[in-house]
Amino acid sequence: IGCRLWNLSIVSVLILTFSNILLTVRLLHSTDCTRQPAPQVQPVRLQQQQFQETRISEATQSAPPSPPPCRPVNISTSSATKSHSSNSATTNTSIFHIDLRLGRWDSRHLYKFFDFALPGERYAELSEKYSVCLATQSSLEKLQSLVQVAHHWTGPISAAVFAAGDEYHLLQLYIAFLRRCFPVVRDRVSFHLAYPKERPPTHFRSEFLMKPKLDCRRPEAALSGLMRLRKPETGKWRIKSAYPQNHLRNLARRNCQSSYVFLTDVDIIPSARLADGLDVFLKNAKCKSMCAYVIPTYELDERVHFPRNKSDLIRLAKKGLARPFHHRVFIYNQFATNFSRWQSTAGNEVDAVHISHNVTNFEFLYEPFYVAPDTVPAHDERFIGYGYTRNTQVYEMFVAGYQFQVLSPIFTCHWGLQNKKGRPSWRERQNSMNRRHFETFKSEVFARYRKDPLKMLSPKKTGA
């Protein structure tokens, strides 16, 4: 009897084991069970770890402190930023807070725009604190300049960025890198997006997850590594296609929330503490509407340190290591600012921002970087690419009756002493196209203001 019971137990165990195997196999092949692929888990953990790393302390010097090396930035998951909400299910990215199916078109349906694609964490607070906002624009390849701009400008920064095709995802990678490595960028800069209708954002490419490693100590090298991932056809298209400067300027201007706007290009670097000095000046300025305050702009030799003050800048100018912006390339660009008069007061003036002198020799080709209320005329978006983009807007301001006044001792700088070079054929084509638009533009300005102070309209010929 004992032997029979033992044999029965053995058989029962075997039957139960076989049944469990069959049940396990059936469950594995069941359509009701969905297995999550393992590779999706790692980016989430990686992003959480990246955004919890120690932040770099803020500085007002021209060069940021040396932070620890950054790990590769991965933006393929919705946990990339702590402020990203559950509404991200309708978006195409975890960095920009937008839905690419929406946005707004320009008047000719050439470009689509997104306001506040990624707001700065302290942008609203700084917009209430400061009376002036820095508005700037950039394509991907120049965006590294934003690091030094944000370290020098303590107020809000409204940045319009342009991306075509696969640049869209490279732009996300680099902005995520900047925000993680540089707290001043994360806090102060609000990003607005523009892309061309003929080159909309393309699908995310898996190779972006693997390379390159982005080092916080080398933002220029990090951007260069990302640019090498851009498709060759995108680069060729960008060279031949006109860059919509005026569209982007308008986009950046209109998203400033302060009373005044300081409009620049992204590679124009403000002098240290410029925002604080301007804020005090503007709050006490007597002229509230029809004045534009010009901030002198110089070119710097790349071997020097950024000047600490006006005296330092003029010492560099006397040594030939700094000179007025575009002085050799196109002198009329800034000539009316009268740099000689501005430099002559060095060492004999107060540190507070004040008016040095009025612009009295205005000419059509003048293109100053200025501070003014955003009630000034908008940049005409018919002018795309090179030629007639900034000077037409400044010309309309002059015709409308704005007085340009040069401020001191503040200034801005552009890295590199520029020398005149031959223009490529595509640039000359863009300039010729814009010249034809200008013929219509100047007639419209005359009709709008009934003034022609620079005699831009040639007299009509009358028959005998």
Side-chain angles (χ1 to χ4, degrees):
I1 293 173
C3 291
R4 289 178 182 177
L5 290 174
W6 175 257
N7 291 336
L8 183 61
S9 299
I10 294 294
V11 172
S12 300
V13 170
L14 291 174
I15 293 173
L16 288 173
T17 302
F18 185 69
S19 299
N20 286 332
I21 293 173
L22 289 177
L23 181 60
T24 302
V25 171
R26 183 169 181 177
L27 288 173
L28 289 174
H29 289 81
S30 173
T31 57
D32 295 332
C33 294
T34 304
R35 290 181 297 169
Q36 297 295 329
Q40 294 183 2
V41 177
Q42 178 59 24
V44 177
R45 294 175 180 171
L46 180 59
Q47 282 298 321
Q48 290 173 343
Q49 182 179 4
Q50 289 171 342
F51 281 88
Q52 289 172 354
E53 291 178 352
T54 304
R55 297 181 176 181
I56 306 169
S57 61
E58 295 188 14
T60 56
Q61 301 301 319
S62 59
S66 298
C70 297
R71 295 173 182 163
V73 178
N74 185 335
I75 59 169
S76 63
T77 172
S78 61
S79 65
T81 59
K82 66 179 182 181
S83 60
H84 198 56
S85 66
S86 59
N87 293 331
S88 63
T90 60
T91 66
N92 293 342
T93 174
S94 59
I95 294 298
F96 294 142
H97 301 177
I98 60 175
D99 187 336
L100 290 173
R101 298 169 297 179
L102 303 177
R104 57 184 173 86
W105 293 104
D106 69 310
S107 60
R108 290 183 284 175
H109 273 231
L110 298 176
Y111 306 97
K112 182 175 276 192
F113 305 114
F114 298 87
D115 301 318
F116 291 100
L118 186 55
E121 292 187 3
R122 295 186 58 215
Y123 185 80
E125 172 193 340
L126 293 171
S127 295
E128 293 179 354
K129 177 181 178 182
Y130 286 88
S131 58
V132 59
C133 161
L134 188 148
T136 191
Q137 52 83 25
S138 179
S139 55
L140 175 61
E141 58 265 25
K142 290 187 176 182
L143 205 56
Q144 79 281 350
S145 297
L146 198 57
V147 174
Q148 193 171 13
V149 171
H151 275 89
H152 283 205
W153 182 268
T154 53
I157 301 173
S158 174
V161 290
F162 181 78
D166 59 328
E167 288 180 339
Y168 177 72
H169 294 294
L170 295 171
L171 180 66
Q172 294 178 75
L173 284 167
Y174 195 64
I175 290 178
F177 161 77
L178 291 180
R179 284 169 58 90
R180 181 169 61 86
C181 292
F182 304 100
V184 289
V185 174
R186 182 182 61 249
D187 291 342
R188 299 171 183 173
V189 184
S190 283
F191 292 95
H192 322 289
L193 175 69
Y195 72 79
K197 181 179 181 180
E198 61 177 301
R199 287 267 173 171
T202 56
H203 293 294
F204 194 84
R205 291 160 57 192
S206 60
E207 59 263 36
F208 292 165
L209 301 178
M210 304 301 297
K211 57 182 181 181
K213 293 183 178 180
L214 307 181
D215 188 342
C216 291
R217 296 168 297 185
R218 303 175 63 201
E220 296 88 354
L223 181 57
S224 297
L226 286 176
M227 292 301 297
R228 287 193 291 270
L229 294 177
R230 186 174 64 175
K231 293 180 180 178
E233 55 266 31
T234 304
K236 293 178 182 177
W237 179 87
R238 282 296 309 278
I239 292 175
K240 296 180 180 179
S241 299
Y243 176 67
Q245 300 180 41
N246 281 359
H247 291 78
L248 294 168
R249 290 182 178 120
N250 287 336
L251 177 61
R253 280 176 50 180
R254 290 165 182 164
N255 283 303
C256 276
Q257 307 296 305
S258 304
S259 303
Y260 290 86
V261 174
F262 177 28
L263 183 66
T264 70
D265 295 334
V266 74
D267 50 5
I268 300 298
I269 314 299
S271 54
R273 297 175 294 279
L274 193 153
D276 297 285
L278 261 181
D279 187 60
V280 174
F281 168 80
L282 292 171
K283 287 177 179 177
N284 298 294
K286 296 179 180 179
C287 180
K288 299 295 183 182
S289 57
M290 300 295 286
C291 291
Y293 301 107
V294 176
I295 300 181
T297 303
Y298 280 74
E299 299 172 356
L300 288 179
D301 191 299
E302 294 181 345
R303 296 170 296 177
V304 304
H305 293 291
F306 195 95
R308 295 166 295 178
N309 49 44
K310 180 176 177 177
S311 298
D312 199 8
L313 173 62
I314 293 176
R315 280 196 296 270
L316 292 174
K318 290 179 179 179
K319 294 178 181 179
L321 299 173
R323 62 188 178 214
F325 187 53
H326 280 344
H327 185 72
R328 295 280 180 86
V329 177
F330 190 65
I331 192 172
Y332 301 108
N333 180 273
Q334 303 283 320
F335 188 75
T337 296
N338 195 344
F339 289 88
S340 298
R341 183 170 180 179
W342 188 79
Q343 291 183 192
S344 66
T345 59
N348 299 315
E349 57 185 343
V350 296
D351 293 333
V353 176
H354 61 278
I355 296 172
S356 170
H357 58 276
N358 291 337
V359 172
T360 56
N361 56 337
F362 185 94
E363 50 194 342
F364 169 66
L365 299 173
Y366 190 38
E367 292 184 346
F369 294 104
Y370 62 84
V371 176
D374 198 35
T375 52
V376 301
H379 288 69
D380 195 301
E381 294 179 357
R382 284 173 293 188
F383 300 105
I384 303 177
Y386 287 93
Y388 298 89
T389 54
R390 283 201 296 129
N391 55 24
T392 49
Q393 189 271 341
V394 174
Y395 166 70
E396 184 174 355
M397 288 177 64
F398 177 72
V399 175
Y402 280 85
Q403 173 65 58
F404 291 88
Q405 300 178 317
V406 181
L407 298 184
S408 186
I410 55 178
F411 57 89
T412 57
C413 291
H414 179 280
W415 285 108
L417 298 177
Q418 303 177 72
N419 294 303
K420 199 166 187 177
K421 299 178 181 178
R423 290 184 176 181
S425 57
W426 56 267
R427 180 166 175 170
E428 190 55 43
R429 284 195 300 270
Q430 293 176 12
N431 194 66
S432 297
M433 177 65 70
N434 286 337
R435 188 181 298 113
R436 289 194 289 270
H437 288 314
F438 177 67
E439 294 303 315
T440 304
F441 174 81
K442 65 183 181 181
S443 298
E444 292 175 353
V445 170
F446 175 75
R448 190 175 301 129
Y449 301 101
R450 306 306 301 175
K451 297 181 191 176
D452 186 19
L454 299 183
K455 309 299 180 185
M456 300 296 292
L457 296 174
S458 55
K460 295 182 179 179
K461 296 180 180 180
T462 57

